[in-house]
Structures are given as structure tokens and as C-alpha cells.
Amino acid sequence: MQLIRPFHPRCGEDFEFLERLNSWRGDVVLVLDGQGHRCSFPLEWTDMAPVDAFVAAAGGGCPYRTGDLVELADLVAARVPGGRGGVGGMAP
């Protein structure tokens, strides 16, 4: 199993799949990393998730989903002094 979340520091890393679970926030995969440590990731952050229709339709021309870019913009805005706190100045 590979982590494909573009903004995650471990993106592209391979993990040994252990189990798929349903948690309060949705489907999660339990994995082992290269050092044998157990960790979990949301299913949609992995290559086990169904292919996003927008990414497939873009044919490789746009590797990022709109929701991912909005989330990144919100994270950056929250860290910038005087940031507006959300995309377009809207509160998250």
C-alpha cells in the first residue's frame, strides 16, 4: 500500500497493509511502516481508495483535487500572520 496524499511528508512511501477499519471519521487503513511501527491513515490518502473522478478526467494534467488545494490554502492562511483564516477570507 502506498501513501498518495500530496501534502503529507510521507507521500510516496510504501507500507505493509494490515487491516481496513471503519472509524468515527470514515474508512481507515492500519499499516506497518519500514521500521515495523503501526500507524493508520484515512483510506482516501492511500492508493487503496477509488480513483478520484476529477483526477482521472484530468488525465494526469492535474494531480491535485480541489478539496486538497482548498485545505492547503486554509493551512497556509492559518499560519500566515494576519492571514484571513480561510479561502477567500471565509471562515473555515
Side-chain angles (χ1 to χ4, degrees), residues 34-59:
Q35 292 77 42
H37 298 115
R38 290 169 42 137
C39 51
S40 63
F41 299 107
L43 176 69
E44 63 269 16
W45 291 12
T46 73
D47 60 357
M48 294 179 63
V51 176
D52 182 274
F54 175 79
V55 173

Side-chain angles (χ1 to χ4, degrees), residues 68-91:
D68 293 335
L69 294 174
V70 169
E71 182 180 346
L72 176 62
D74 288 340
L75 289 169
V76 170
R79 296 195 53 94
V80 174
R84 295 183 288 182
V87 174
M90 298 171 55

